[in-house]
Amino acid sequence: MTRDGAPLHGLDLNLLVTLRALLQAEGVSAAAARLGQTQPTVSRALAVLRTAFDDPLLVRSGRLMVRTPTADALLPRLERILAAVGSLEHAGTFDPATSDREFRLIMPSMAEPVLLPRLVEHLRDKAPRVNLQVGSTQADPLARVLAGAVDVALGRRLDHAEVRARVMRPGLPSFVTLIGKEHPAYGSTLTEELWLASDHVMLRVEGGDSRGSSVDRMLAERGLERRIAVQASGMATVLELVERQPFVFSFSATLVEPLVRERAIEVHDTPLALDLTGLQLAMCWHESNHADPANRWFRQVVAESLSF
């Protein structure tokens, strides 16, 4: 058994580089020249190596030296070991063009129809072999980030000492209202009075408060109120309702405008001045991944693909 678990009885592992040169060159002089060391230095190293491996390693045959059977068995293993050791300095690097790493992302399902296709397009262009696993934020996103179950979480900012966050759109998001042909303002102007008097559809957000949204709380602070006629869990359902009923639906322009181009739905500016800072999209990740080159690259791609 080696002392204190030290490999090769505590042999200086730098001598393995000398051993490789000796076995490849099959001679002390040639190995010394290859290593840029003196012949006596390499001769002393060979003596230490012979003791460590309990084998002569190189034996004289005429005017030459040849490897022993043990040395022949050692050389390919030695080359693999030293190649692995040499790769350690590159262990923290990341090459997207060749990587087959899997990245794990969670985002609100309401954002997926718009955001995910753009992200996949970016990934296939920059890193065609990486894999992407996408989940929703229905389960506690903070717990999943802290547990290391995801690389990046998109959605609300997660305030925690072990979590980093970046607001994706520093400016205020554009908040628009959708109406269909059954609404009285279709083809006309949507006023504040008509917006407040209309029946509203609300998209129920995973983990959100079903009794109201941040918009309703802002309205309440101004002494205003809207009627939520329907709460739906999917964006496709919401758009179908708006297209067929005299409903209004107010949401982020970034997420809804690309979805209504083929529908009989108009996009209007929401006729209320609301502080929408709290509706900004955030990208969050665990502190331990902050300096990881692969995670840093993935965050940058997410940011680029979600810049509208």
Side-chain angles (χ1 to χ4, degrees), residues 58 118 178 191 233 267 299:
L58 292 172
R118 292 174 62 95
L178 307 183
T191 64
S233 59
V267 180
R299 297 194 307 264

Side-chain angles (χ1 to χ4, degrees), residues 63-136:
R63 300 181 63 181
L64 303 175
M65 298 189 78
V66 296
R67 294 189 295 265
T68 66
T70 295
D72 281 333
L74 278 173
L75 183 56
R77 299 183 188 182
L78 188 62
E79 289 174 337
R80 288 196 298 271
I81 290 170
L82 291 177
V85 171
S87 71
L88 289 178
E89 63 180 310
H90 305 295
T93 61
F94 175 74
D95 182 5
T98 60
S99 175
D100 58 0
R101 174 165 171 165
E102 180 176 84
F103 291 99
R104 300 158 301 172
L105 171 71
I106 57 175
M107 68 169 69
S109 58
M110 62 183 179
E112 191 172 306
V114 174
L115 303 187
L116 186 56
R118 292 174 62 95
L119 177 57
V120 169
E121 182 179 350
H122 275 66
L123 288 176
R124 288 183 64 82
D125 178 57
K126 300 173 183 291
R129 296 179 58 193
V130 305
N131 300 307
L132 180 63
Q133 181 185 117
V134 181
S136 77

Side-chain angles (χ1 to χ4, degrees), residues 15-24 49 53 57 74 78:
L15 287 177
L16 295 182
V17 177
T18 302
L19 175 59
R20 177 177 60 182
L22 282 164
L23 299 186
Q24 289 176 339
L49 290 163
F53 288 97
L57 300 174
L74 278 173
L78 188 62

